[in-house]
């Protein structure tokens, strides 16, 4: 390759997006505008931006699992209960920028209940919180003040649902001041409590206004209409009950004392609707909610249910029929899959016309009521990531391989420890699940430039998937996640399929067809290879597989049964990896038998049909452990292998010899791929690291670390700007190439440094010592500062009385700001520890002590500590600075004490050294005088000169001390 056209080596990748566990177990809450979501991961609560897919912050927990949580309608507070029976109240950050520090609670009530709390509900005014515990006690809390306003006992077991009723009739002039709390418990009864002060005093605070009996199993959902007239309740007895709880239904009865008549509150059961599934969530829709195919109006009464079938159903309460269903029902699902798919909670977001359903398999689905479609799907937990590949479902069919398109690599497919394949958008957390395999999916590969997806599974089959092409109105957004359908299935292996490789020339050129004398299959897929634990490789004919799912008359997608062209027993142990050369002429297989074998592909399309065959060309031997991954070079005739012996080897395809070995990983190398026209390689291993290698000099150019377990999955985008790594810790990391950015940044820093150095030299030439010292301090260059102070005595006027050697420098030290003074004292501490630089350190320290009062030194370190605290907490919540001011003073005093403690012992050592030098000078003087007396006895000594010299030495020692 010509040196001028050779691409530049990449040497830096930064962590871009991260797909981490979002929801593992526990309750879920969403803000009133539907933009932010609170989920539970382990013992922590996470706040996530739904649209951007970014974790905004974490809420500091108490190391116990969260049993219930809710968000106030005003989105001001998060309230959660943990297994430690405590109530923790947090203020929700209003900023949409991620925060690294966990949010601390503003109030903690250590023992809010005597039993675990499983349901909690805020009131519409965000003033009160109702919580129901497992011992049948319901408490109403004042959120801001943290005390109990009401206590209701008498529930026959665990409290299962709560709802507030604040009636609001827009037609009335005066708002009715009625506050009710409606509770449900496992004794199947629904109780209505009046929260007004007068009613609480009359009933002793705990007697219900009414008890509703109609369910025969535990009610799981309660909701009240805005006008307070209708109550809807749904339970595990598979029915939904509509109650009329308006005050107009009250009757007149004689009081017990016979003194007149009083109004008795008696709600009536209005309608019973059989749902035919266990109901886990129920709620009323707004009367003016715009539902497709259903007119809206003030008289409408419609509600939604979610339950064991995993579907959200919209009902007309007056007619008792289903208007439409949100979600897909799978008839062929097993019992375990049905249990995982059931809905455990459903949340209605009126402002966005969306229903959010939370499923038992930790998936969170956003259903649009206006379009009756799935808007967004968030996958809570991915388990172990086994394989990954980029996809381009919206890439036009006529796009060529040479041109980069904005529709390329817009999605990434993940194979996890599940039978469901995940397809994520690369720009958000939006994802879709692809179902079809009955066992765990082990491997993935893409074909037709990412337009189709191939998967191999433990169910001994391989499947090919194609995206459902979006309509013209949806085609504008390339990152919209499409639905994928199975278009072909390959069955024939006796064991699980652990490796798949599709033909690289997905849309075959006309040359291949013309060479075969036919054009059949010239514009479609060609072939695919599968490797299995049965130690065989099968070649499959894909010429009849469509790139777009073809629907049959009944609406089902037609699935092609692929034909096996050839089968070879390739290895003595399991086959771990397969790869097809870019020209579709070679195949390589890697196995646990520590070898990689290269095969020649003989693929011919004729008028009579398709013929395929494999012929062994050579075997690459040299690894000491099993080969986990094999990859062909994209431009050179080389082959890369990653092995369990912790090495990556590069092999020549001419004689199948090892030409280079890359060592650096501390555990098995699991994945390897080429970058930069074969000049670099990227590898991932069981040590949790991703390494970038320079092929020419066999060195590691960069190491990327964001995983805590084996990195099984590795994929490189078509333009090589992104690397995706997925590991067994359920984390997927997008690594972005930032080589050019770092080069530009280094160049700008170098130019800025040169400019500052020139300014420093100019200041010294002009004797502008103030700017020179300040510039040296800002550049953090103590060497230049030392040189400046060391040159002052030689250039000073002998008649000046300056401490440092120049009056201007004395003035600079006398007026130096706090943070700069603290930094200078740290440099002085370091200089003082070296005998060669101690003289300058003692002179500067002497000047500071003489020219500055002690209060200035303490204040200087306080200012430095305050600046450090402000820079660290710049993105934190308001009010942090006030809490940091007191500790800053303590830190400043501590820092000054550390400086003084470091200066004293070295200063004493220098003083001792100077005293010893003084004594030695006396000895030398005495010896010289004796020598003079012996040689020139008649000359004598000049006593006055000796006294002057001794006084000069004493003064020098005093100044240095």
């Amino acid at each position: 390759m010509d040196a001028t056209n050779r691409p530049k080596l990449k040497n830096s990748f930064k962590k871009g997006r991260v797909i981490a566990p979002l929801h593992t177990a526990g309750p879920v809450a969403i803000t009133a505008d539907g933009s932010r979501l609170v989920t539970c991961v382990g013992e922590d609560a996470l706040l996530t931006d739904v649209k951007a897919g970014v974790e905004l912050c974490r809420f500091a927990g108490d190391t116990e699992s969260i049993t219930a949580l809710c968000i106030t309608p005003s989105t001001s507070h998060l309230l959660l209960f943990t297994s430690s029976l405590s109530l923790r109240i947090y203020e929700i950050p209003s900023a949409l920028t991620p925060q690294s520090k966990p949010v601390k609670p503003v109030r903690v009530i250590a023992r809010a209940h005597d039993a675990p709390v499983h349901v909690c509900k805020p009131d519409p005014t965000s003033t009160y919180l109702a919580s129901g515990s497992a011992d049948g006690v319901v408490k109403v809390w004042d959120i801001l003040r943290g005390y109990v306003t009401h206590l209701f006992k008498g529930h026959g077991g665990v409290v299962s649902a709560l709802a507030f009723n604040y009636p609001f009739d827009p037609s009335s002039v005066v708002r009715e001041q009625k506050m009710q709390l409606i509770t449900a418990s496992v004794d199947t009864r629904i109780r209505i409590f009046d929260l007004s002060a007068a009613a609480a005093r009359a009933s002793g605070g705990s007697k219900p206004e009414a008890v509703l009996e109609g369910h025969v199993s535990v009610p799981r959902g309660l909701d009240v209409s805005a006008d307070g007239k209708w109550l809807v309740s749904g339970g595990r007895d598979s029915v939904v009950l509509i109650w009329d709880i308006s005050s107009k239904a009250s009757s007149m009865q004689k009081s017990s004392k016979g003194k007149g008549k009083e109004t008795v509150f008696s709600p009536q059961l209005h309608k019973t609707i059989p749902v035919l599934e266990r109901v886990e969530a129920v709620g009323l829709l707004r009367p003016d909610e715009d539902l497709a195919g259903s007119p809206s109006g003030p008289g409408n009464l419609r509600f939604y249910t979610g339950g064991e079938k995993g579907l959200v159903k919209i009902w007309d309460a007056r007619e008792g029929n289903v208007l439409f269903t949100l979600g897909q029902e799978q008839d062929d699902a097993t019992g375990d899959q049905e249990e995982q798919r059931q809905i455990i909670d459903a949340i209605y977001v009126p402002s966005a016309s969306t229903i959010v359903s939370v499923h038992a398999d930790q998936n969170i689905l956003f259903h649009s009521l206006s379009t009756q479609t799935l808007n967004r799907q968030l996958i809570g937990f991915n388990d172990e990531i086994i394989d990954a590949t980029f996809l381009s479902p919206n890439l036009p069919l006529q796009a060529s391989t040479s041109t980069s398109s904005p529709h390329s690599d817009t999605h990434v497919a993940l194979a996890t420890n599940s039978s469901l394949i995940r397809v994520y958008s690369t720009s958000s957390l939006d994802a879709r699940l692809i179902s079809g395999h009955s066992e765990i999916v082990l491997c993935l590969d893409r074909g037709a430039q990412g337009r189709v997806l191939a998967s191999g599974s433990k169910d001994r089959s391989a499947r090919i998937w194609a995206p459902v092409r979006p309509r013209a109105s949806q085609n504008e957004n390339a990152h919209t996640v499409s639905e994928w359908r199975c278009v072909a299935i390959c069955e024939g292996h006796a064991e699980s399929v652990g490796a798949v490789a599709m033909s690289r020339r997905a849309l075959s050129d006309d040359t291949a067809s013309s060479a075969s004398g036919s054009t059949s299959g010239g514009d479609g897929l060609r072939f695919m290879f599968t490797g299995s634990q049965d130690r065989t490789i099968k070649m499959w004919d894909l010429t009849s597989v469509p790139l777009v799912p073809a629907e049959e008359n009944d609406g089902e997608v037609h699935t092609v049964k692929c034909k096996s062209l050839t089968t070879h027993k390739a290895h003595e142990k399991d086959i771990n990896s397969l790869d097809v050369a870019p020209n579709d002429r070679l195949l390589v297989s890697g196995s646990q038998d520590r070898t990689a074998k290269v095969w020649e592909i003989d693929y011919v399309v004729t008028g009579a049909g398709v013929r395929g065959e494999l012929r062994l060309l050579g075997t690459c031997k040299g690894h000491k452990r099993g080969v986990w991954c094999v990859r062909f070079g994209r431009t050179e005739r080389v082959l890369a292998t990653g092995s369990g012996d912790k090495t990556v080897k590069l092999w020549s395809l001419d004689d199948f010899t090892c030409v280079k070995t890359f060592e650096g990983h501390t555990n098995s190398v699991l994945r390897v791929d080429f970058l930069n026209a074969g000049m670099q390689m990227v590898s991932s291993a069981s040590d949790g690291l991703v390494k970038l290698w320079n092929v020419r000099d066999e060195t590691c150019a960069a190491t990327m670390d964001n995983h805590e377990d084996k990195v099984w999955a590795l994929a490189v985008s078509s333009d090589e700007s992104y690397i995706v790594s997925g590991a067994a810790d359920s984390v997927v990391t997008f690594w972005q190439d930032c080589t050019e950015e770092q080069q530009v940044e280094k160049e700008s820093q170098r130019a800025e440094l040169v400019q500052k150095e020139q300014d420093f030299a100019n200041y010294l030439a002009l004797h502008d010592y103030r700017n020179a010292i300040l510039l040296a301090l800002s550049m953090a260059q103590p060497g230049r500062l030392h040189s400046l102070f060391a040159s002052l005595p030689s250039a000073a006027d002998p008649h000046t009385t300056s401490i440092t050697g120049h009056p201007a420098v004395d003035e600079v030290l006398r007026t130096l700001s706090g943070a700069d003074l603290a930094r200078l004292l740290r440099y002085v501490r370091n200089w003082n520890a070296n005998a060669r630089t101690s003289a300058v350190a003692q002179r500067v320290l002497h000047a500071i002590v003489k020219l500055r009062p002690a209060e200035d030194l303490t204040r200087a370190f306080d200012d430095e500590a305050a600046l450090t605290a402000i820079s660290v907490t710049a993105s934190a919540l308001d009010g942090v600075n006030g809490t940091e001011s007191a500790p800053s003073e303590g830190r400043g005093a501590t820092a000054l004490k550390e400086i003084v403690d470091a200066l004293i012992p070295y200063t004493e050592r220098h003083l001792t050294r100077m005293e010893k030098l003084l004594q030695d000078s006396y000895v030398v003087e005495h010896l010289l005088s004796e020598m003079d007396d012996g040689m020139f006895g008649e000359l004598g000594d000049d006593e006055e000169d000796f006294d002057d010299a001794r006084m000069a030495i004493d003064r020098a020692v005093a100044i240095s001390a």
Side-chain angles (χ1 to χ4, degrees):
M1 184 180 291
D2 189 5
T4 57
N5 298 327
R6 184 177 298 162
K8 295 181 180 179
L9 294 180
K10 304 177 187 293
N11 54 33
S12 182
F13 281 81
K14 65 180 180 181
K15 183 173 66 175
R17 292 187 58 250
V18 175
I19 301 176
L22 176 68
H23 175 59
T24 54
V28 173
I30 192 167
T31 57
D33 58 357
S35 63
R36 288 174 288 175
L37 184 73
V38 176
T39 54
C40 301
V41 175
E43 292 81 26
D44 296 331
L46 270 64
L47 181 67
T48 305
D49 187 336
V50 174
K51 186 176 182 180
V54 178
E55 177 185 318
L56 297 178
C57 68
R58 287 180 178 245
F59 298 94
D62 59 356
T63 69
E64 295 287 341
S65 60
I66 299 172
T67 58
L69 62 82
C70 61
I71 299 176
T72 57
S74 61
T75 321
S76 59
H77 291 83
L78 169 68
L79 310 109
L80 60 84
F81 293 85
T82 66
S83 297
S84 62
L85 310 181
S86 65
L87 166 60
R88 303 172 70 85
I89 303 176
Y90 303 85
E91 288 185 352
I92 298 178
S94 58
L96 294 179
T97 55
Q99 298 184 14
S100 57
K101 284 189 174 182
V103 178
K104 302 289 185 182
V106 296
R107 185 183 300 277
V108 177
I109 301 172
R111 195 173 178 85
H113 280 266
D114 295 328
V117 175
H118 295 290
V119 290
C120 60
K121 186 87 171 179
D123 80 322
T125 64
S126 302
T127 306
Y128 301 105
L129 167 73
S131 59
S133 65
D135 59 359
V137 175
V138 175
K139 294 183 179 180
V140 181
W141 306 82
D142 187 296
I143 294 175
L144 294 179
R145 296 173 178 84
Y147 62 86
V148 178
T149 61
H150 298 78
L151 176 65
F152 304 115
K153 297 181 179 180
H155 298 82
V158 180
V159 179
S160 59
L162 297 169
F164 280 96
N165 179 25
Y166 287 11
F168 173 66
D169 187 1
S171 62
S172 62
V173 179
V174 181
R175 179 163 184 171
E176 183 180 2
Q177 295 296 324
K178 182 167 72 170
M179 300 168 58
Q180 291 179 330
L181 176 65
I182 305 172
T183 66
S185 58
V186 296
D187 62 359
T188 72
R189 292 182 174 89
I190 299 172
R191 295 170 173 83
I192 302 177
F193 298 91
D194 195 334
L195 299 181
S196 62
R201 286 194 298 269
S203 63
S206 62
K207 186 177 179 181
E209 224 182 345
V211 179
L212 312 182
E213 297 184 6
H215 286 284
V216 296
S217 185
V218 52
R220 290 289 293 133
L222 294 173
D223 200 8
V224 185
S225 60
D227 57 3
K229 178 178 176 60
W230 302 104
L231 166 68
V232 59
S233 63
R236 291 178 177 169
D237 52 4
S238 302
V239 297
V240 171
L241 304 181
I242 309 295
W243 305 84
D244 185 353
I245 60 170
S246 63
S247 57
K248 297 178 182 179
S250 303
S251 59
M252 302 297 291
Q253 296 180 354
K254 212 168 188 180
S255 66
S256 57
K257 296 184 180 180
K259 295 183 179 179
K261 294 183 178 181
E262 62 178 6
T263 303
V264 177
F265 180 58
S266 58
Q268 303 294 323
L269 177 61
H270 179 73
K271 195 177 187 62
T272 301
I273 301 176
V275 183
L276 305 180
E277 66 170 332
R278 292 194 304 272
V279 176
E280 295 292 331
V282 64
L284 289 167
L285 303 179
R286 289 186 312 182
D288 58 345
E289 184 67 66
D290 184 19
L291 303 180
S294 176
S296 61
N300 288 336
L301 188 63
R302 297 166 297 188
F303 65 92
Y304 65 90
T305 60
E308 60 176 334
K309 293 184 179 179
L311 305 174
V312 176
K313 297 180 179 179
I314 309 299
W315 299 76
D316 188 332
R318 303 190 186 278
E319 299 295 333
N321 58 350
V322 178
L323 296 177
F324 55 87
T325 301
L326 301 173
Q328 294 181 351
E329 185 173 4
Q330 298 179 0
D331 299 330
D332 56 348
T334 63
D336 184 37
Q337 289 177 337
E338 287 183 355
E339 183 179 352
Q340 289 294 315
R341 202 176 61 247
Q342 67 180 358
I343 293 176
I344 58 176
D345 194 11
I347 307 169
Y348 174 46
V349 185
S351 60
S353 296
T354 301
I355 293 181
V356 182
S357 60
V358 183
H359 296 253
D361 56 1
Q362 294 99 29
N363 293 331
I364 303 172
L365 277 63
F366 290 71
H367 302 278
S368 172
L369 290 173
S370 56
T371 61
Q372 301 182 18
T373 57
L374 179 63
N375 271 357
R376 192 181 303 274
Q377 178 170 346
L378 304 181
I379 298 175
F381 186 63
N382 282 320
D383 207 350
E384 293 189 22
I385 311 296
I386 301 174
D387 204 356
T389 184
F390 278 98
L391 296 175
S392 308
N394 299 321
L395 189 67
L397 295 178
Q398 64 273 16
S400 63
T401 58
S402 59
T403 59
S404 60
S405 169
H407 297 279
S408 297
D409 299 334
T410 55
H411 297 75
V412 61
L414 303 178
T416 67
N417 202 10
S418 165
S419 62
L420 303 174
I421 303 172
R422 275 84 166 153
V423 177
Y424 275 89
S425 168
T426 56
S427 61
S428 68
L429 285 180
D430 194 10
R432 296 294 183 269
L433 295 174
I434 307 177
S435 61
H437 285 289
S438 58
E439 295 288 344
I440 294 174
V441 177
L442 298 176
C443 53
L444 298 174
D445 195 18
R446 70 175 193 168
Q449 300 174 252
R451 297 184 186 91
V452 295
L453 172 68
S455 61
S457 169
K458 276 189 175 182
D459 61 8
R460 299 179 293 183
S461 71
R463 289 175 180 261
I464 299 176
W465 314 83
V468 177
R469 292 289 169 179
R471 295 186 296 269
S473 60
Q474 299 175 345
N475 202 26
E476 297 177 358
N477 187 3
H479 291 271
T480 301
V481 184
S482 305
E483 297 289 342
W484 291 71
R485 297 288 183 265
C486 181
V487 294
I489 183 170
C490 306
E491 293 177 323
H493 282 289
E495 296 291 342
S496 58
V497 179
V500 294
M502 300 190 72
S503 57
R504 300 309 175 203
R505 293 166 59 185
L507 297 176
S508 299
D509 297 334
D510 292 335
T511 55
S513 298
S514 61
S516 62
S518 173
T519 59
S520 62
D523 58 349
L525 300 173
R526 304 182 71 199
F527 54 81
M528 180 179 73
F529 292 95
T530 57
S532 170
Q533 279 187 342
D534 60 12
R535 306 168 190 177
T536 63
I537 297 175
K538 283 183 175 291
M539 183 178 184
W540 305 89
D541 177 24
L542 303 184
T543 54
S544 59
V545 177
L547 294 180
V548 178
E551 293 189 359
E552 296 179 343
N553 296 331
D554 56 357
E556 294 293 328
V557 175
H558 175 64
T559 303
V560 178
K561 297 285 187 180
C562 294
K563 183 182 70 172
S564 174
L565 297 177
T566 183
T567 302
H568 276 268
K569 184 180 184 300
H571 290 272
E572 299 300 323
K573 291 186 178 180
D574 298 353
I575 298 174
N576 292 329
S577 179
L578 296 173
D579 192 35
V580 176
N583 59 3
D584 277 357
R585 294 181 180 178
L586 298 177
L587 170 74
V588 62
S589 59
S591 169
Q592 282 297 107
D593 62 6
R594 300 178 291 181
T595 64
K597 294 186 178 181
V598 180
W599 311 78
E600 183 182 9
I601 302 173
D602 182 15
Y603 178 76
V604 179
V605 180
T606 63
V610 179
R611 181 172 58 84
E613 190 56 59
L614 286 177
R615 184 170 62 87
L616 181 63
L617 292 181
T619 303
C620 302
K621 297 181 180 179
H623 281 295
K624 300 177 182 178
R625 293 286 188 275
V627 177
W628 282 108
C629 185
V630 289
R631 280 291 180 272
F632 279 111
R634 296 188 178 95
T635 56
E636 306 289 342
R637 285 182 53 82
V638 292
L639 167 70
T641 58
S643 169
D645 60 7
K646 312 174 188 176
T647 64
V648 178
K649 287 182 180 291
L650 200 65
W651 309 80
S652 170
L653 290 179
D654 296 327
D655 53 3
F656 308 107
T657 57
C658 178
V659 294
K660 291 181 184 293
T661 300
F662 302 85
E663 297 180 347
H665 283 290
T666 59
N667 215 324
S668 302
V669 179
L670 302 176
R671 293 290 184 270
V672 65
D673 208 342
F674 282 92
L675 284 175
N676 224 350
M679 297 175 59
Q680 291 182 296
M681 290 192 303
V682 60
S683 63
S684 65
S686 296
D687 55 11
L689 300 177
V690 178
K691 286 182 176 289
L692 180 67
W693 306 90
N694 293 335
V695 173
R696 182 179 294 274
D697 52 7
E698 301 181 37
T699 58
C700 179
T703 299
M704 294 160 265
D705 183 10
N706 192 46
H707 298 285
E708 300 176 354
D709 211 333
K710 299 180 180 68
V711 184
W712 284 106
L714 189 69
V716 180
S717 63
S718 300
D719 58 359
E720 298 182 351
S721 61
Y722 281 95
I723 297 174
V724 169
S725 60
D729 57 1
S730 186
V731 173
V732 178
T733 307
F734 290 76
W735 303 98
Q736 183 178 359
D737 181 17
C738 60
T739 303
E740 293 187 3
E741 296 178 15
Q742 285 202 351
Q743 289 177 350
V744 171
E745 184 179 355
K746 287 181 180 179
E747 188 64 27
S748 62
Q749 289 178 352
R750 191 185 68 83
E752 184 180 358
L753 182 61
V754 170
Q755 180 67 35
K756 287 184 177 181
E757 289 176 351
Q758 184 61 47
D759 291 343
F760 182 80
N762 295 339
Y763 290 146
L764 286 183
L766 297 174
H767 300 291
D768 188 354
Y769 292 112
R770 171 175 291 278
N771 287 327
I773 292 175
L774 292 178
L775 184 58
L777 288 173
S778 65
M779 294 167 62
Q781 292 188 350
R784 293 183 180 276
L785 205 57
H786 179 270
S787 301
L788 187 151
F789 286 123
S791 63
L792 290 177
S794 60
D797 188 354
H799 300 290
T800 60
T801 59
S802 170
I803 300 176
T804 60
H806 201 287
V809 177
D810 291 354
E811 182 64 19
V812 172
L813 296 182
R814 191 182 65 82
T815 59
L816 204 61
S817 63
D820 291 334
L821 180 60
R823 190 178 297 114
L824 178 59
L825 282 173
R826 295 184 192 279
Y827 293 159
V828 168
R829 176 195 59 188
N830 297 336
W831 296 338
N832 195 49
N834 193 330
R836 290 184 300 176
T837 57
S838 60
V840 173
Q842 291 292 327
R843 187 165 65 249
V844 174
L845 182 62
H846 181 213
I848 293 175
V849 173
K850 287 289 186 181
L851 299 174
R852 306 292 289 261
E855 294 79 7
D856 284 2
L857 303 184
T858 306
R859 197 179 305 114
F861 285 97
D862 286 341
D863 294 344
E864 185 189 43
L867 287 175
T868 303
I870 291 174
S871 63
V872 170
T873 60
S875 59
L877 295 173
D878 295 334
V880 172
N881 294 339
T883 60
E884 293 284 350
S885 59
S888 297
E889 296 179 3
R891 286 202 299 268
T894 303
L896 178 59
K897 182 178 182 301
E898 292 175 355
I899 294 289
V900 173
D901 290 343
L903 287 171
I904 288 176
Y906 283 102
T907 303
E908 292 177 347
R909 183 183 301 179
H910 297 324
L911 179 61
T912 303
R913 181 167 54 85
M914 294 299 292
E915 290 177 346
K916 186 175 182 303
L917 287 174
L918 180 61
Q919 293 176 0
D920 293 344
S921 69
Y922 290 154
V923 174
V924 172
E925 182 111 20
H926 175 70
L927 291 175
L928 291 175
S929 65
E930 289 297 325
M931 292 173 63
D932 290 345
D933 288 343
M935 296 177 62
F936 312 101
E938 68 277 6
L939 295 178
D941 294 323
D942 190 352
E943 296 294 336
E944 293 182 0
D945 293 343
F946 174 73
D947 292 340
D948 292 342
R950 185 168 56 188
M951 290 175 63
I953 293 175
D954 290 342
R955 185 162 56 251
V957 171
I959 292 175
S960 300

